[in-house]
Amino acid sequence: MPERVRLKPDTPHPGRQKGRDRQAAVSLAVYHAGDGTDKHLSRLRRAGRFRLAYFSPRRTMTAHSLTAFDGVLWELSPEHQPDRRHVAAIARRLPVVSYSAAGGRSVVDLSRRLGFTTHLKAPLSPTDVRGQLGRAKGMDLFARIRSTQRGLRTKLAGREALVEIVRAVNSTLDPKKIADALLDRMGTWFNVPYWAVVAIHESGEMATVADRGVSTLLESRLTDVALWVSEHGEEFTAPNLAEDRRAQTEQPASVIGLPLQCRSRTVGVVVLAAPGASSQDLRWTSAFRTVLRSALEPAAFALDNALMFQRTQALSVTDDLTQLYNSRYLNQVLRRETKR
């Protein structure tokens, strides 16, 4: 079980609030796994433009105390796995820049899955920190995706990205596990706080198989978005769902719906969302749409196969005409209850 991280400021270092630090332009909460002052932040302290408050895994931070900061610096360590829900809640309130001296791609992927703004290599540069925090505050969801579209297209067009998604979604026949694996991989592509995967059965019935906060944000409109994608077979984009006739909500939200297509039909929809409106609509280039659909196709096949397997299992124990359980199901239950 990952350690649940709750933060509280360490005892301030003597003189930490004196001199230039008192006049700092940027106030940062710094989490680091070790004890004492983090050596990777020495350049920030010398710059004199940052006010730093230190936190550690042993103590707690209340949610309201986050309002005192402009952002969070979070040290990711291979030896310490933070609690996802707790740090994701922090990331939804403030820009969070993670950093590490080592760890490679696995640490970068972890940072993205947690919903952090970006990951930097230690020691930290004052220019890089200020730039990333300013970018996170100044860019809405669609602007962030537009800024990374070209680099993401190159990544998804590579063989490595395809191999990763195929391995992630083909290790199980459980639709929920497949959906969770897909969201984990997509979390390394898009920095988005809310996600969901909606499965679409051949009968047209829809069911949410994985949800990370979207149902709360969109309430009943999640199925409206999925239905539109299913009917049109195209990407759904709404810079402000509160002003969109297709699926209006009371609260402003930026929403994207991506079709999962295989065997000439849409078998599911991936919904990405963030609170607040985006200033401009998201324009998909034809090249980016092509590589994105190709990257999602293995997940579509895996999800469709899992759903068909579930239907086959259900049909084997029910009568086609009455939809009641048959004698095969009775025998299964008797064996199970006898063992119990």
Side-chain angles (χ1 to χ4, degrees):
M1 292 291 292
E3 180 184 356
R4 183 170 181 80
V5 181
R6 306 185 70 80
L7 310 177
K8 183 179 179 181
D10 290 337
T11 304
H13 187 277
R16 183 174 290 170
Q17 304 298 326
K18 295 181 180 180
R20 291 184 302 173
D21 201 36
R22 180 178 298 172
Q23 303 299 324
V26 182
S27 178
L28 298 176
V30 180
Y31 164 78
H32 59 98
D35 296 325
T37 301
D38 194 331
K39 62 182 179 181
H40 301 310
L41 305 180
S42 58
R43 295 174 64 183
L44 298 186
R45 292 193 297 273
R46 289 198 301 269
R49 293 173 293 171
F50 299 90
R51 184 170 67 249
L52 307 178
Y54 292 85
F55 305 88
S56 71
R58 300 178 181 178
R59 301 177 183 177
T60 61
M61 172 195 280
T62 58
H64 71 272
S65 65
L66 294 173
T67 58
F69 301 105
D70 299 306
V72 178
L73 296 178
W74 192 291
E75 182 186 15
L76 287 180
S77 168
E79 294 80 23
H80 176 71
Q81 294 290 321
D83 180 86
R84 270 190 203 179
R85 293 184 179 180
H86 183 69
V87 297
I90 295 175
R92 286 194 292 267
R93 286 176 171 267
L94 285 173
V96 181
V97 174
S98 62
Y99 67 96
S100 64
R105 182 165 183 169
S106 61
V107 178
V108 176
D109 288 347
L110 175 61
S111 174
R112 289 173 177 169
R113 288 197 301 272
L114 292 170
F116 291 164
T117 302
T118 191
H119 184 80
L120 298 177
K121 186 175 181 180
L124 297 182
S125 159
T127 301
D128 289 343
V129 171
R130 289 178 67 93
Q132 291 297 339
L133 291 175
R135 181 184 176 198
K137 285 186 173 183
M139 298 178 71
D140 53 50
L141 173 62
F142 283 13
R144 292 200 303 269
I145 293 178
R146 285 196 301 269
S147 69
T148 60
Q149 194 170 137
R150 179 176 297 180
L152 183 57
R153 184 189 68 188
T154 302
K155 175 181 178 179
L156 296 182
R159 176 179 176 274
E160 186 176 353
L162 180 62
V163 171
E164 286 180 351
I165 192 69
V166 169
R167 287 177 176 173
V169 300
N170 283 281
S171 60
T172 179
L173 282 172
D174 184 342
K176 185 180 186 310
K177 291 182 179 179
I178 292 173
D180 283 333
L182 172 61
L183 295 186
D184 284 343
R185 294 314 309 161
M186 292 189 69
T188 68
W189 306 346
F190 302 102
N191 181 19
V192 179
Y194 297 103
W195 299 81
V197 175
V198 179
I200 303 173
H201 299 274
E202 289 182 340
S203 62
E205 180 184 355
M206 292 184 293
T208 303
V209 291
D211 173 27
R212 299 180 182 177
V214 172
S215 60
T216 303
L217 179 67
L218 302 185
E219 298 178 351
S220 61
R221 301 310 180 189
L222 176 60
T223 54
D224 293 338
V225 173
L227 179 61
W228 189 95
V229 175
S230 174
E231 291 178 345
H232 293 80
E234 299 176 357
E235 288 76 12
F236 176 100
T237 60
N240 184 5
L241 205 62
E243 300 176 354
D244 197 299
R245 295 181 179 180
R246 296 170 294 179
Q248 281 188 319
T249 58
E250 293 184 1
Q251 299 297 327
S254 307
V255 181
I256 300 171
L258 303 176
L260 296 174
Q261 297 175 322
C262 70
R263 302 184 177 101
S264 301
R265 71 184 187 90
T266 302
V267 301
V269 178
V270 181
V271 178
L272 300 69
S278 293
S279 58
Q280 298 180 16
D281 200 359
L282 182 62
R283 303 295 181 184
W284 303 98
T285 65
S286 58
F288 182 74
R289 180 184 285 108
T290 299
V291 297
L292 182 58
R293 290 192 176 192
S294 298
L296 293 176
E297 191 173 7
F301 273 101
L303 181 61
D304 194 37
N305 290 337
L307 294 174
M308 286 194 295
F309 179 71
Q310 277 193 343
R311 289 195 294 271
T312 301
Q313 282 189 317
L315 288 173
S316 69
V317 295
T318 55
D319 180 79
D320 291 343
L321 180 62
T322 64
Q323 299 300 310
L324 299 175
Y325 289 118
N326 57 23
S327 60
R328 184 179 292 107
Y329 180 76
L330 175 62
N331 292 331
Q332 290 180 1
V333 172
L334 290 175
R335 284 195 298 269
R336 183 172 66 244
E337 292 301 306
T338 300
K339 290 180 181 180
R340 188 171 66 87

